[in-house]
Amino acid sequence: MKRPLGTNLPLSFIAVVAIAFAEAIVFLFISLFGGLQFYAPLSAVVAFALAVYAVLAIFDLFKLRIRRIVLASFAGVCLLAAGVYEINQAYVNSLAEVNDREISLEKYKPFQPESKIAILDQTSTYKITDELPRLDGATALYPVYSAFVQAVYPKDDYSVYDFDSSTVVCTSTSTAYDRLIDGDTDIIFAAAPSLSQQKSAKAAGKELVLTPIGREAFVFFVHKRNKVDGLATQQIKDIYSGKLTNWKQVGGKRDSIRAFQREENSGSQTMLEKIMEGTPLMTAPQKDVMDVMSGIISQTASYRNYKNALGFSFLFYASEMNSNNEIKLLAVDGVEPGRESIRSGAYPFASEFYAVTAGSSNPHIQPLLDWIVSPEGQELVAKTGYNPVK
């Protein structure tokens, strides 16, 4: 016996509200534990389907057997979709990643028995025993300024990540510039500042003083099975402006180019912007990250070594600190990146990196900078794997 309409309508309303409430809870868990791009829409579709099924069941529309077959088929499709998604995620997670946040710098700490940092052949002629300058910098440059510390500073445990108490830390180019401008550190080691970092310094009444201490190549890389072995400067600019979109256009297979970028104000992203010479960058590959406090935030995706990917970094970082035999460095304008091509100027994207100061009152700042550009300091730059400026 069918229930009257006056009973079915409130029951349907209660069922739909209950399902919507359950969906809100599921969405919250999804936002906390990941999978937002896939599982959020899937859960919404499931919730809608359950609401429709509940209403059909309450009003006793269609035969029970038909409703159950449709529901089982729908559940099977959802499980299949989830399985395909998880398999794809496992494949993506298996790809090599170039992301400086994933690199542990502990193996480059000074005064550690197994440290990989460069060491002078003789005792340094310059030492600091008090009022140690606070140091910070780019991930790729930590090995070189860690070597300076071992040569000049007193022996101690200089924690890489304890920003509140350690004298020598490593954040990132962007954060290091912020800390320098705020007066939280004395010297940072990084690429030249971006335009926005220069503006931030000026707004804070600080002058950024750049002391060149070495040279490095800015490199582009692809999956080792990519047929392309090199790109011209103009092709790189056309790719990152969105004019060239397929590897076939630059001598590769017919496959779309997935050109990754880095976060704004990072050293490598700033370098890419300089190469573009004012040409607008296209939108980078994105990943959606859910933050329940601030909503959905679009972030630049970390480089993963897809067969159609194109990424960039600095030579020492890509070939030493985060080396992977699945990644191939590209020649630019027919020139391979390397120490000799950097030294001679043949490689077009070779640039200086700097010790940057912003008016610290520490009395050891200038003597330390003078020592870094002296033969001893430059010896450590070369032994680390960079090209010295002298």
Side-chain angles (χ1 to χ4, degrees):
M1 179 179 179
K2 290 189 176 182
R3 290 183 295 269
L5 181 64
T7 301
N8 286 341
L9 285 176
L11 286 175
S12 298
F13 178 78
I14 292 171
V16 170
V17 169
I19 291 170
F21 180 74
E23 160 61 11
I25 294 175
V26 170
F27 185 85
L28 178 62
F29 275 97
I30 291 172
S31 67
L32 291 173
F33 296 103
L36 188 67
Q37 286 182 302
F38 174 78
Y39 284 109
L42 179 64
S43 67
V45 170
V46 169
F48 177 78
L50 289 176
V52 171
Y53 181 84
V55 171
L56 292 177
I58 290 170
F59 280 90
D60 197 23
L61 300 176
F62 303 107
K63 293 182 179 180
L64 177 61
R65 179 172 173 273
I66 293 176
R67 294 201 302 267
R68 286 178 174 174
I69 290 174
V70 172
L71 182 63
S73 301
F74 175 75
V77 170
C78 290
L79 289 173
L80 179 62
V84 171
Y85 172 78
E86 291 298 335
I87 291 172
N88 180 68
Q89 285 300 104
Y91 163 71
V92 169
N93 291 334
S94 71
L95 296 172
E97 183 175 9
V98 175
N99 181 345
D100 56 19
R101 289 167 293 185
E102 302 297 323
I103 295 296
S104 172
L105 297 175
E106 295 293 331
K107 59 188 175 183
Y108 295 101
K109 277 180 63 175
F111 304 109
Q112 301 298 311
E114 303 298 324
S115 181
K116 296 179 65 176
I117 61 174
I119 300 174
L120 289 173
D121 293 332
Q122 67 288 331
T123 302
S124 172
T125 57
Y126 174 65
K127 294 286 186 181
I128 304 175
T129 58
D130 61 354
E131 295 188 67
L132 304 178
R134 298 165 297 170
L135 309 182
D136 195 355
T139 303
L141 293 177
Y142 178 74
V144 74
Y145 68 85
S146 177
F148 298 157
V149 169
Q150 175 139 326
V152 172
Y153 280 36
K155 185 175 182 179
D156 201 352
D157 181 17
Y158 299 97
S159 174
V160 185
Y161 305 110
D162 188 355
F163 311 141
D164 295 324
S165 61
S166 181
T167 307
V168 182
V169 300
C170 184
T171 55
S172 65
T173 297
S174 178
T175 304
Y177 268 107
D178 290 341
R179 296 183 75 233
L180 181 68
I181 293 168
D182 291 340
D184 295 328
T185 193
D186 298 312
I187 307 175
I188 67 169
F189 298 85
S194 67
L195 181 60
S196 66
Q197 287 161 342
Q198 295 175 47
K199 290 180 178 178
S200 295
K202 185 176 182 180
K206 300 288 183 69
E207 179 184 0
L208 298 177
V209 179
L210 280 62
T211 302
I213 65 170
R215 289 179 59 79
E216 174 64 321
F218 184 65
V219 298
F220 291 84
F221 43 77
V222 295
H223 193 285
K224 71 176 184 180
R225 293 186 177 86
N226 193 319
K227 287 175 57 179
V228 175
D229 293 321
L231 293 169
T233 297
Q234 188 58 51
Q235 288 175 323
I236 291 170
K237 293 172 69 173
D238 288 344
I239 288 171
Y240 278 96
S241 65
K243 185 176 179 179
L244 292 178
T245 59
N246 198 287
W247 284 110
K248 187 72 174 178
Q249 296 171 286
V250 291
K253 293 182 178 179
R254 189 176 300 280
D255 200 354
S256 61
I257 299 174
R258 188 169 188 161
F260 284 83
Q261 296 182 41
R262 291 288 307 282
E263 63 274 12
E264 186 180 2
N265 290 329
S266 68
S268 51
Q269 185 71 10
T270 299
M271 184 64 184
L272 177 66
E273 291 168 358
K274 289 180 179 178
I275 290 172
M276 296 299 289
E277 297 178 330
T279 303
L281 286 163
M282 68 176 182
T283 301
Q286 301 287 311
K287 62 180 179 182
D288 289 331
V289 177
M290 182 63 178
D291 181 337
V292 293
M293 298 299 292
S294 59
I296 299 174
I297 304 172
S298 292
Q299 296 186 346
T300 303
S302 300
Y303 173 87
R304 284 195 182 274
N305 195 28
Y306 298 92
K307 62 184 178 67
N308 63 337
L310 173 64
F312 54 80
S313 186
F314 289 99
L315 178 60
F316 179 75
Y317 180 81
S319 61
E320 298 292 336
M321 295 180 72
N322 199 13
S323 62
N324 189 289
N325 58 13
E326 294 296 313
I327 290 173
K328 175 174 62 174
L329 300 183
L330 297 178
V332 177
D333 295 336
V335 181
E336 300 281 348
R339 278 200 174 191
E340 180 55 34
S341 60
I342 297 172
R343 187 196 62 78
S344 67
Y347 185 74
F349 300 152
S351 63
E352 293 175 327
F353 57 88
Y354 304 90
V356 187
T357 58
S360 170
S361 60
N362 188 300
H364 298 299
I365 298 298
Q366 192 56 52
L368 177 56
L369 294 176
D370 292 341
W371 177 83
I372 289 173
V373 297
S374 75
E376 289 182 352
Q378 292 296 287
E379 178 185 336
L380 290 176
V381 171
K383 282 188 171 182
T384 298
Y386 293 104
N387 276 47
V389 291
K390 294 186 177 181

